[in-house]
Amino acid sequence: MAGTVADPLSLVAELLEPVFREIAGRDDADPVVRPSDRADAQVNGALPLAKQIGTNPREVAQRVLDSGVLQAVCSNVEIAGPGFINLTFDDAWLATQLDVVAADDRLGVAPATRTRTVVVDYSAPNVAKEMHVGHLRSTVIGDALVRTLEFLGHTVVRENHIGDWGRPFGMLIEHLLDIGEDVAAQGMRQGDLDGFYKAANAKFTDDPAFQERARERVVMLQAYDPGTIEIWQRLVTMSNEYFTLVYGQLGVLLTDGDLAGESRYQSLMPEVYERLDAAGLLRDSDGAKVVFPPGFTNRDNEPLPLIVKSSAGAFMYATSDLACVLDRVERVGADLLLYVVGAPQAQHFNMVFEVCRMVGILEPPVEAVHVAFGNVLGDDKKMLRSRSGDAVKLIALLDEAVERASAAIEEKNPDLDSDARAAVARQIGIGAVKYADLSTDRVRDYIFDWDRMLAFDGNTAPYLQYAHARICSIFRRAGIERESVRGMPMSIAQPQERALAQRLLAYPSAIDEMMASYSPNKLANYLFDLAQDFTAFYEHCPVMKADEPVRSSRLAVCDLTARTMSHGLGLLGIAAPDAM
Ligand code: ARG
């Protein structure tokens, strides 16, 4: 197709598929195109195909070559070993592909062919409790997914499912009344949410009279008693102010408009209960109403219940999540639900989704996915804690990131004036924290290590940001506008140039790969490879010292690299400063 660009590997696969189908005489023959150490790419599909049709693989490979489809894109094609095909892409063809990408604002990334309405459930801290590093992970991963989904053209609904309802609110409201709103507000503004929670909890444990008050208060809250709701609302507002502070420092897209806490689903819970009841799914279990989704058992192999209503008659966390699915599917009209929540809640979500399927709320093409993630650990490999052993205050952690980045830049670039340094320090410090998280396979735990995440070499944000800033400075020093080289025809010759060109053309595939498993580390790793390919290119291929037209071509390659880097970092929610 004229005008379309694709990763060379995907394009070759596309060209070869009809040839393989024809030889196979069936519809599902995969050419198996892979990157290769010996050439640019390798076609491995002749071997399984030959086996299928009972001929010699080298003969099949020869028939593939004879089809001539590779001629337009390859300068060399060779049959190797038992029947592999080694491909070398044609330099002029690579250059033309690059020209097409450079002329495209989307850098070759096509919008999704099937657009969906996606609810992304992420961040979700709890009211009157410190946001912990798990919430940080959820916020950072969720933000990257939201940005990428939007870029691909999906309709994205952000939902911050804060914990703002349920039993603890009895004691939290009573404690607020005891100490007075001003004192509470003061503490929370300083980010001492845990202090508030702990004090309330201590009273609840020690003081039977307080316990009684707290119990009565929950009942009033759930009955929407106006006076109680008013105090509850103040508590929620105070916490939200703190969350907003954190989101502001992090630079994520979440706003107050995205709040969709547990409380919002309270009024839907009776409906969920009715529907489960009407479907005949509710069972009695020690006075509680539960559903037994098939396939879930405890350690003793007994069926595991999802508790819908406690023996005391209260709806549960699970009930609110059932109501939440109902709301997202039937009111929001979403056909993809992503839950960016820690791995320990995997069973909870699997059971909730299964019960929703049983009652007909969740049916194809609607899909619900738990985008799980591992823990953030300290250097002792235990859950990250502050020195005093308490939960880490997130805002303090982010401030420290900026301070450390500021010190690092001062050392590296003393010429930067103080305003510029403050701005860049924030981009680098926050970028480093986010990237350390995003570049790790999300299902794995990762160790929070200041020195490593802020290092200017290795797979870090500063390294990638530096690669970008370095390209900007090539243009600055030469007094050339970057826009002025856009549209200059590129030519490709040197091995490092060829490697960089192929990497640039693979950007759409990196995004595909990330979204296939909702794993931002796929894109992060691509950007790291891009930075390394650029470094090799810049070492071996002089830019300003080259004669025309090579100089203009290389400048255009530099510009496209910087655009791709900054765009990719942008999808991850990370800034790419022009100088640092
Ligand atoms: N507030 C919960 C927590 O801190 C996370 C909520 C996740 N979202 C949901 N729909 N359950 O663990």
Side-chain angles (χ1 to χ4, degrees), residues 479-501:
I480 299 172
E481 288 293 331
R482 280 181 51 196
E483 287 74 16
S484 72
V485 304
R486 264 167 231 171
M488 297 272 183
M490 289 180 256
S491 59
I492 295 299
Q494 298 304 316
Q496 296 81 9
E497 234 165 6
R498 301 184 78 260
L500 179 57

Side-chain angles (χ1 to χ4, degrees), residues 208-495:
F210 181 84
Q211 221 176 79
E212 194 43 45
R213 267 158 62 202
R215 287 221 175 85
E216 284 163 14
R217 190 56 80 176
V218 188
V219 178
M220 289 163 88
L221 179 69
Q222 299 200 328
Y224 294 106
D225 165 60
T228 303
I229 289 288
E230 199 191 313
I231 311 165
W232 166 80
Q233 186 58 58
R234 268 180 258 159
L235 210 51
V236 173
T237 306
M238 282 187 253
S239 293
N240 277 334
E241 279 165 12
Y242 177 72
F243 302 151
T244 304
L245 202 69
V246 172
Y247 298 147
Q249 178 69 310
L250 267 177
V252 294
L253 297 172
L254 279 172
T255 68
D256 276 359
D258 304 321
L259 288 169
E262 287 170 38
S263 64
R264 193 205 261 200
Y265 303 97
Q266 167 80 8
S267 58
L268 253 187
M269 292 201 248
E271 183 182 336
V272 168
Y273 187 88
E274 294 302 315
R275 284 169 73 160
L276 293 169
D277 201 19
L281 294 172
L282 291 176
R283 302 281 175 272
D284 275 306
S285 169
D286 298 326
K289 292 287 184 189
V290 307
V291 180
F292 289 105
F296 294 90
T297 50
N298 66 12
R299 263 186 239 117
D300 300 326
N301 231 356
E302 291 154 357
L304 211 57
L306 189 75
I307 306 176
V308 180
K309 200 188 241 181
S310 77
S311 54
F315 290 131
M316 315 297 284
Y317 181 55
T319 329
S320 84
D321 262 323
L322 294 171
C324 191
V325 175
L326 180 76
D327 182 66
R328 288 169 184 181
V329 176
E330 297 184 4
R331 185 186 62 83
V332 178
D335 54 358
L336 177 60
L337 314 180
L338 301 182
Y339 290 79
V340 189
V341 185
Q345 295 195 39
Q347 190 178 59
H348 163 77
F349 283 115
N350 288 334
M351 290 177 81
V352 165
F353 298 160
E354 191 50 39
V355 170
C356 286
R357 283 183 201 110
M358 291 165 78
V359 74
I361 297 174
L362 195 62
E363 280 170 340
V366 184
E367 216 188 325
V369 182
H370 177 205
V371 181
F373 53 81
N375 296 315
V376 184
L377 307 177
D379 35 19
D380 55 359
K381 301 228 165 83
K382 296 205 181 103
M383 296 289 258
L384 186 68
R385 298 249 155 235
S386 71
R387 235 161 299 157
S388 60
D390 293 333
V392 178
K393 282 202 183 67
L394 220 52
I395 196 75
L397 182 99
L398 298 176
D399 290 344
E400 181 170 352
V402 176
E403 270 162 42
R404 284 176 183 261
S406 179
I409 306 164
E410 192 165 0
E411 200 176 296
K412 237 187 142 63
N413 188 354
D415 298 338
L416 219 57
D417 70 65
S418 69
D419 278 356
R421 185 165 67 233
V424 172
R426 202 172 152 248
Q427 295 174 316
I428 295 181
I430 299 299
V433 170
K434 287 184 175 179
Y435 190 83
D437 190 323
L438 293 171
S439 58
T440 312
D441 183 356
R442 66 174 161 77
V443 297
R444 290 182 33 197
D445 295 347
Y446 83 93
I447 295 177
F448 193 94
D449 178 343
W450 284 121
D451 293 334
R452 202 168 65 202
M453 70 176 78
L454 281 161
F456 280 74
D457 49 8
N459 191 4
T460 67
Y463 176 68
L464 303 189
Q465 289 170 319
Y466 184 68
H468 174 266
R470 184 151 138 201
I471 298 174
C472 297
S473 96
I474 297 171
F475 284 88
R476 243 192 333 268
R477 281 196 318 245
I480 299 172
E481 288 293 331
R482 280 181 51 196
E483 287 74 16
S484 72
V485 304
R486 264 167 231 171
M488 297 272 183
M490 289 180 256
S491 59
I492 295 299
Q494 298 304 316

